Amino acid sequence: GDDLDQVIERCLSILAKATGAERAAVQLATPGSERLLHWTSHDAAQGASPVARSLSAERSHGLAGWVIEHREAALIPDVSRDRRWIPFPDADEDHHSALAVPLLAGTQALGACLLLGRSPKVFTPEDRELATTGAAMMASAIRLAEARRSLHEA
């Protein structure tokens, strides 16, 4: 519920600020579905906008799909030259840089965190480390929220 929204929103805005990303989003693999749940947080310039959620790309598609499947980060200097890139469902601007990291809980990939920048070559290997750490925290939070929900439903 709300606590999970807040955790994801806060993590995304911290990561966006720390890495200089213009856009930060999470795409979660939804159990039993072939689609990814797209959760977005806007950049620091616009302030934290409400979390928009929509079902987006198919699980196997795009950058998030690649990161989830391979369980490894992707640091892309220019997405226009990367065939894995599919623009977000709610994207209204052009992005060139992308940094995508898997949300790992043990060996399972729960989804991916994507950071986007308008210019090419925004992200560094240090940003990748930072995002990997942030993604691990988000994965734990998602796991906790799921556990709490199943306790309530028991």
Side-chain angles (χ1 to χ4, degrees):
D2 296 340
D3 50 347
L4 183 59
D5 283 357
Q6 277 170 358
V7 167
I8 290 183
E9 179 73 21
R10 196 170 299 132
C11 281
L12 285 176
S13 87
I14 290 168
L15 281 178
K17 279 199 186 93
T19 59
E22 244 119 7
R23 195 73 189 270
V26 158
Q27 293 189 339
L28 290 181
T30 36
S33 160
E34 282 309 296
R35 300 184 85 69
L36 292 167
L37 183 64
H38 178 76
W39 222 308
T40 187
S41 165
H42 287 269
D43 51 281
Q46 292 172 314
S49 65
V51 180
R53 268 196 254 167
S54 59
L55 279 170
S56 76
E58 295 187 20
R59 186 184 286 234
S60 54
H61 276 106
L63 199 50
W66 187 91
V67 163
I68 290 167
E69 191 186 332
H70 292 85
R71 290 173 178 64
E72 62 179 84
L75 178 58
I76 301 175
D78 190 348
V79 292
S80 66
R81 299 178 183 193
D82 197 295
R83 56 182 179 69
R84 294 171 295 189
W85 173 245
I86 297 173
F88 288 175
D90 56 353
D92 51 3
E93 67 274 282
D94 277 341
H95 291 107
H96 284 283
S97 298
L99 170 57
V101 292
L103 300 174
L104 295 174
T107 53
Q108 198 190 359
L110 306 181
C113 172
L114 290 90
L115 299 167
L116 304 179
R118 286 203 186 100
S119 351
K121 300 185 185 153
V122 168
F123 306 111
T124 64
E126 291 76 41
D127 293 329
R128 183 175 55 208
E129 298 307 309
L130 200 66
T132 301
T133 307
M137 287 165 61
M138 277 191 266
S140 306
I142 291 163
R143 270 285 141 89
L144 272 170
E146 284 170 352
R148 207 174 287 139
R149 193 181 309 131
S150 58
L151 277 174
H152 286 310
E153 285 167 7

